[in-house]
Amino acid sequence: WKDRRWAGARIPTLSEVLASVPADKQIFIEIKSGPAIVAPLLADLRRSALRDEQVVLIAFEAELIRQLKAKAPRYTANWLVSFKKRRGRGPVENWPQIVATLKASGANGLGTNDHPALDPAHLAHLQAAGFAHHVWTVDDPATAHRFLAMGSRSITTNRPGALRKALQGRP
C-alpha cells in the first residue's frame, strides 16, 4: 500500500528469517507479544540449523523472559528497560528493583536505551551480579564510546557502517 513496487511483497516467516542467518552471526529476536508465542517460537528455533549461541531473545516483559528461560535456558535472553529521558535520575532511582527483576527472571542481561544518567557504577553493579548490558539506539559515536568504555556488550544503531568506522577511528 506504500508503493506499487511493493505489490505482492510478503513478510518472511520466522523460519525463513532463521534460515538466512549466516553461521558466524547472531540473530536478536524481540518478542512483542505475550506468553502464547513461547511454544511456537521455540519450535521454530529447534527446527532451525542455528546453534544456541546464535540466538538472543529480548523482551520488555520480565515474566516472558522468565518463561523463556524456564523452557529454553540454553538461549540468551535479555530483559529490556526503557528509561524516560525527561527524568534524569530514572536509572538511579530504579536500579535495585531492576537488578532484583533480572535475578528473578533468570535473564542473562539487560538492554536499555542510552539514558545519560547511566554511569560506570550501574554497569559495574550489573557485571558483578553476573549480567551483561546492551544499549540501544545509539547513532552518535561519542555516546557509543561512552557505553563501550562503561562495559556495554552490544550497541543497537540505525547507522552500523558509519558507527563502526567512527569506533575504529576511520573517516
Side-chain angles (χ1 to χ4, degrees):
W1 58 272
K2 290 263 187 184
D3 192 298
R4 288 178 194 231
R5 66 183 163 175
W6 304 113
R10 64 177 193 73
I11 298 171
T13 66
L14 179 58
S15 293
E16 290 169 337
V17 172
L18 297 175
S20 74
V21 178
D24 62 338
K25 302 295 181 191
Q26 286 184 307
I27 183 167
F28 283 64
I29 302 171
E30 183 174 353
I31 304 164
K32 294 187 177 243
S33 62
I37 196 70
V38 172
L41 169 65
L42 295 178
D44 276 352
L45 288 171
R46 276 191 303 275
R47 284 190 298 267
S48 79
L50 295 176
R51 298 179 317 280
D52 296 347
E53 63 271 14
Q54 287 182 270
V55 176
V56 180
L57 305 170
I58 60 177
F60 282 97
E61 290 186 38
E63 175 57 23
L64 184 58
I65 295 294
R66 188 194 67 71
Q67 289 183 31
L68 286 164
K69 291 302 284 185
K71 292 182 179 173
R74 65 190 173 276
Y75 296 120
T76 298
N78 297 326
W79 181 45
L80 303 176
V81 173
S82 181
F83 299 115
K84 294 191 183 329
K85 291 189 180 181
R86 292 185 305 272
R87 296 186 61 215
R89 295 182 42 84
V92 177
E93 296 165 356
N94 301 322
W95 207 251
Q97 181 59 43
I98 288 167
V99 174
T101 301
L102 284 167
K103 289 178 182 177
S105 71
N108 299 94
L110 176 69
T112 69
N113 57 328
D114 63 337
H115 196 284
L118 280 169
D119 63 30
H122 289 111
L123 273 59
H125 186 210
L126 272 182
Q127 291 169 352
F131 301 107
H133 180 261
H134 308 271
V135 64
W136 81 80
T137 300
V138 177
D139 295 333
D140 171 62
T143 303
H145 277 293
R146 177 176 159 259
F147 276 94
L148 289 174
M150 289 192 301
S152 291
R153 298 288 305 273
S154 71
I155 296 173
T156 299
T157 182
N158 293 316
R159 304 180 62 225
L163 192 60
R164 178 175 284 132
K165 284 180 185 177
L167 292 173
Q168 294 172 342
R170 296 185 311 197

